[in-house]
Amino acid sequence: MKAFILDRYKKRQPLRLGDLPEPTMGPGDVLIEIAAAGLNVLDAKIRSGGFKVILPYKPPFVLGHDLAGTVIRVGSGVRRFKVGDAVYARPRDGRIGTLAETIAVDEVDVALKPKNLSMAEAASIPLVGLTAWQALVEHAKLKRGDKVLIQAGSGGVGTFAIQLAKHLGATVATTASAGNADLVRSLGADVVVDYRREDFEKVLSGYDVVLNSLDGETLRKSLTILKPGGKLISISGPPDPAFAKAQGLNAFLALVMRLLSFGIRRKARARGVNYAFLFMRANGAQLGEIAKLVEAGTIRPVVDRVVPFEATNEALTELEAGRSKGKVVVEIR
């Protein structure tokens, strides 16, 4: 099969288009012929080596965390899927590799593709959809009447999280450029802060939840708009002790995580606020719930552009520059 392979960790290291053997399947796996794969900032960060301490992939390996495609083979223990099913998935850590023609995925990480979406549209959803779901539904337990700030509303996670938060009944604020204000309002944002002209911490207050995907300075400012008992959830770090425990990291790495997040956790405690780092995980059942919302018209994918398989390197470099609205998708078949 054809695949884009990372031969070494390096910032903007080009991926090599090469041939690999068909993936090995276990009894609980489904083999998927990939039609389209979403690109994520996580792919660029892994490529540069930014996650090799906690995700120790050994080059050469195939990048890619989102897929939509068709089941072409099932393991002996698979009961939920059959050959010919149109599916979408975020393969679990340790088994990524969607920038390829086929992949073997544990059936519990897979869900049937939303019927009203194309393969490219479906491939844009898994990672950002699961991130938003796990942040807002699982962790924040967002409910009607809550106020939530979603940073970077025009990005991949932001465009999905705004819609999910609105569905849950929250009042939604977001940061975006003036050029993207109409987009985020169309997704359900009630308050749009132009980050180029306004300081969000000066115009927002009394919020229950902040979902942060930006830098450390933005993270610290986010504390100031939360009311006591509020929740600051960051998907861009720093990692905290709870994450180290969940990942089963050794004592040294657990200490490192504790030190990295010590400052923000101390500031959060001083304000009576809870800080948590979220590193999303694969979950086919949650993708099934997301598919229902998509089919009902409650949530729609926001795709910036679809590029051919051969243009993967260029698309990943452009994505890293941070100028995409929603998701960039690679069409493989």
Side-chain angles (χ1 to χ4, degrees), residues 74-122:
V74 298
S76 60
V78 171
R79 298 291 179 267
R80 296 175 52 235
F81 301 98
K82 65 183 184 305
V83 172
D85 281 345
V87 295
Y88 75 147
R90 191 290 204 194
R92 65 185 57 190
D93 294 329
R95 301 194 70 183
I96 65 169
T98 63
L99 295 175
E101 292 180 321
T102 59
I103 189 173
V105 185
D106 192 308
E107 73 163 330
V108 301
D109 299 337
V110 180
L112 293 174
K113 179 184 75 67
K115 296 181 179 66
N116 57 334
L117 297 187
S118 68
M119 286 290 186
E121 290 171 326

Side-chain angles (χ1 to χ4, degrees), residues 190-210:
D190 300 288
V191 180
V192 181
V193 180
D194 180 354
Y195 68 86
R196 291 174 176 162
R197 300 180 61 186
E198 301 175 283
D199 293 326
F200 72 88
E201 74 277 15
K202 294 179 180 179
V203 297
L204 303 177
S205 63
Y207 275 67
D208 300 280
V209 178
V210 175

Side-chain angles (χ1 to χ4, degrees), residues 253-305:
L253 289 178
L255 177 60
V256 170
M257 302 296 122
R258 182 176 293 276
L259 293 174
L260 285 173
S261 61
F262 176 76
I264 192 66
R265 288 187 292 112
R266 181 180 61 182
K267 288 181 173 67
R269 282 197 302 272
R271 300 186 68 90
V273 169
N274 174 69
Y275 169 76
F277 171 67
L278 174 69
F279 195 77
M280 60 77 58
R281 66 190 189 283
N283 191 310
Q286 290 178 353
L287 284 178
E289 293 302 310
I290 289 169
K292 294 176 185 177
L293 295 178
V294 173
E295 289 174 350
T298 303
I299 293 177
R300 62 179 173 90
V302 178
V303 178
D304 185 271
R305 62 194 181 280

Side-chain angles (χ1 to χ4, degrees), residues 212-270:
N212 178 69
S213 56
L214 300 174
D215 57 23
E217 181 62 22
T218 303
L219 184 70
R220 288 186 290 274
K221 289 180 179 179
S222 295
L223 284 173
T224 66
I225 75 161
L226 285 164
K227 64 185 184 184
K231 297 177 181 179
L232 174 55
I233 304 168
S234 179
I235 62 174
S236 56
D240 59 5
F243 166 75
K245 182 178 180 181
Q247 292 291 110
L249 300 181
N250 61 43
F252 173 74
L253 289 178
L255 177 60
V256 170
M257 302 296 122
R258 182 176 293 276
L259 293 174
L260 285 173
S261 61
F262 176 76
I264 192 66
R265 288 187 292 112
R266 181 180 61 182
K267 288 181 173 67
R269 282 197 302 272

Side-chain angles (χ1 to χ4, degrees), residues 44-59:
K45 289 184 176 181
I46 288 177
R47 177 176 66 169
S48 69
F51 279 91
K52 63 183 178 182
V53 172
I54 56 178
L55 294 173
Y57 298 112
K58 185 177 179 181

